[in-house]
Amino acid sequence: MKYRKLGNTNINVSVICLGTMTFGEQNTQDEGFEQMDYALDRGINFFDTAELYAVMPRKETYGKTEEIIGNWFRERKNRDKIILASKIASKGDPGDIYWIRDGSDKLNFNKKNMNEAIDGSLKRLKTDYIDLYQLHWPERKVPKFGILDFKYDPNDEWVQIEEVLHNLNTLVKAGKVRHVGLSNETPWGVMKYLQISKEKKLPRMVSIQNVYSLVNRVFDVANSEVSIREECGLLAYSPLAGGRLSGKYIGNKKPQNARYTLWPKRFSRHHTKRGEVAIEKYFKLAKELGIAPATFANAFVNDRPFVTSNIIGATTMEQLKENIDSIEVTLSKEILDQIEDIHLSDPNPCV
């Protein structure tokens, strides 16, 4: 395994991070335990979760993923071996999450929500601290989850960034959180958080968790420079475009228990005709190179200069092994040039 610094901290996290959002929905607790055991054996010391999980979000499974991780900590007695990341949900997307605290419209980053959210997560995770606490998505209206254009709403109300940082600072001072990070954030948002934290001596955002894959490289456009120059590295999620880059859906296949088989109308950004064309090209290239398509797609993400860690996810052990195997693959300049040719023929077909 390879390791990189988490932002400007002294924490080394594995370049492969274990994503856990399937635990409690597509994966049972026993399967989750097996994945976590295997990941740890392969040198992964970084796990990512969220209060919202399992996915797809629903009242019956809210917090279930954190509970499974907490049960694993209790049984294995190895909390100290894991750099644990979780997230607090806010209002708006993804849909009406009325079952979290006071409900969607009141679900913001004020002190009340922060305190209730962290205490709930700590209880489910059976720990007294979280290493990286992230804002799952901005409370204000921004382009995210497959939307590119910013649409200004003069009536948009949101807890101001300085107040959010003060609320997070309370959690840090209480010892409940070690470091803080962003997710699904814009370049303006990252820079504003960094500016205010410096001016007011408040907790500094050490990472940003945004979507990144061969078929969605929007992060390259502006956020990548911010990540590198400001030491706020990318925790890349959906590196396989929800599993589509593995090739298992090519030809309109519907594999059992797979995400798009179970929820065909969700994640529409990964269902474009342009996306299917690009995915088939990358699939073909991986096969020509003798690399498993999932391993190939993850290897590309691993070595991007702004990536701190690549958040993989799997529902089977075979998938998990292929994803982690990507750490052993280095793509040559010739291969990267071939990838760039495909990318430039139709940039970002899955957004």
Side-chain angles (χ1 to χ4, degrees):
M1 185 51 61
K2 299 174 184 176
Y3 302 87
R4 293 176 187 149
K5 292 290 183 185
L6 178 63
N8 65 342
T9 75
N10 61 358
I11 296 176
N12 290 310
V13 295
S14 49
V15 172
I16 300 292
C17 173
L18 180 66
T20 61
M21 71 179 190
T22 60
F23 299 178
E25 183 67 70
Q26 289 173 270
N27 287 111
T28 65
Q29 175 166 290
D30 286 345
E31 290 169 340
F33 276 30
E34 185 180 16
Q35 286 198 30
M36 289 184 281
D37 288 340
Y38 180 78
L40 188 59
D41 285 344
R42 289 288 300 267
I44 292 176
N45 71 346
F46 195 21
F47 291 3
D48 179 74
T49 189
E51 65 165 330
L52 185 67
Y53 299 163
V55 168
M56 294 297 180
R58 57 194 179 96
K59 183 178 181 180
E60 293 76 12
T61 57
Y62 165 62
K64 189 65 179 176
T65 304
E66 288 186 327
E67 288 180 7
I68 290 173
I69 295 171
N71 292 340
W72 185 75
F73 285 147
R74 181 181 61 193
E75 290 198 16
R76 301 294 190 262
K77 294 180 173 54
N78 59 3
R79 171 66 185 90
D80 61 322
K81 294 184 178 180
I82 301 300
I83 307 301
L84 178 64
S86 194
K87 313 180 198 75
I88 175 176
S90 73
K91 67 182 181 182
D93 292 324
D96 182 19
I97 44 180
Y98 63 88
W99 59 86
I100 301 180
R101 294 182 290 286
D102 292 333
S104 296
D105 291 340
K106 297 178 182 178
L107 197 60
N108 57 31
F109 295 138
N110 64 15
K111 184 170 290 188
K112 177 179 179 293
N113 269 295
M114 285 272 186
N115 289 334
E116 290 184 15
I118 192 70
D119 289 343
S121 286
L122 291 175
K123 181 178 180 180
R124 289 187 292 270
L125 289 162
K126 297 176 178 59
T127 184
D128 55 7
Y129 70 98
I130 290 173
D131 297 284
L132 177 64
Y133 199 48
Q134 304 155 102
L135 308 180
H136 204 152
W137 60 88
E139 182 188 338
R140 67 189 194 282
K141 294 177 182 177
V142 299
K144 58 185 180 297
F145 303 132
I147 296 173
L148 286 178
D149 296 335
F150 171 63
K151 295 180 180 179
Y152 175 62
D153 179 358
N155 299 313
D156 189 17
E157 295 183 2
W158 37 284
V159 178
Q160 296 300 297
I161 289 174
E162 183 175 341
E163 182 179 343
V164 175
L165 287 170
H166 276 291
N167 294 339
L168 289 169
N169 194 37
T170 300
L171 305 185
V172 172
K173 286 184 173 180
K176 297 178 180 181
V177 169
R178 293 179 68 194
H179 298 285
V180 295
L182 297 164
S183 184
N184 297 296
E185 189 53 273
T186 67
W188 179 87
V190 179
M191 290 304 300
K192 201 67 178 175
Y193 271 102
L194 293 176
Q195 174 196 346
I196 294 174
S197 67
K198 183 178 181 180
E199 290 175 353
K200 304 294 182 178
K201 294 182 170 50
L202 293 167
R204 186 184 196 277
M205 296 297 177
V206 300
S207 61
I208 173 173
Q209 183 176 150
N210 278 26
V211 62
Y212 193 81
S213 72
L214 285 167
V215 289
N216 185 337
R217 292 171 54 181
V218 173
F219 197 90
D220 286 341
V221 177
N223 258 322
S224 58
E225 183 181 14
V226 174
S227 277
I228 292 171
R229 298 195 190 281
E230 300 296 331
E231 292 185 290
C232 186
L234 174 64
L235 309 182
Y237 78 80
S238 207
L240 297 183
R244 299 193 83 84
L245 281 162
S246 71
K248 65 184 178 183
Y249 297 102
I250 289 177
N252 203 32
K253 292 178 184 174
K254 295 183 171 69
Q256 187 176 3
N257 197 40
R259 184 186 311 182
Y260 299 113
T261 305
L262 296 172
W263 303 288
K265 295 182 180 180
R266 298 299 296 265
F267 298 104
S268 59
R269 62 187 181 274
H270 295 152
H271 288 264
T272 65
K273 290 182 180 179
R274 292 167 47 220
E276 289 302 312
V277 171
I279 287 166
E280 289 194 32
K281 289 180 179 179
Y282 288 121
F283 180 84
K284 181 181 178 182
L285 177 58
K287 287 294 188 181
E288 289 174 355
L289 296 168
I291 306 172
T295 304
F296 174 77
N298 277 303
F300 173 76
V301 175
N302 294 346
D303 288 333
R304 303 299 284 169
F306 44 82
V307 168
T308 295
S309 192
N310 175 14
I311 305 172
I312 62 167
T315 53
T316 70
M317 290 301 297
E318 180 182 3
Q319 292 169 357
L320 183 65
K321 291 171 184 176
E322 281 191 351
N323 291 340
I324 298 175
D325 285 347
S326 66
I327 201 66
E328 300 167 5
V329 175
T330 300
L331 302 178
S332 67
K333 184 181 182 303
E334 181 183 2
I335 295 172
L336 291 173
D337 287 343
Q338 290 177 279
I339 288 173
E340 200 65 11
D341 286 342
I342 296 172
H343 170 65
L344 292 176
S345 69
D346 185 4
N348 305 314
C350 288
V351 294

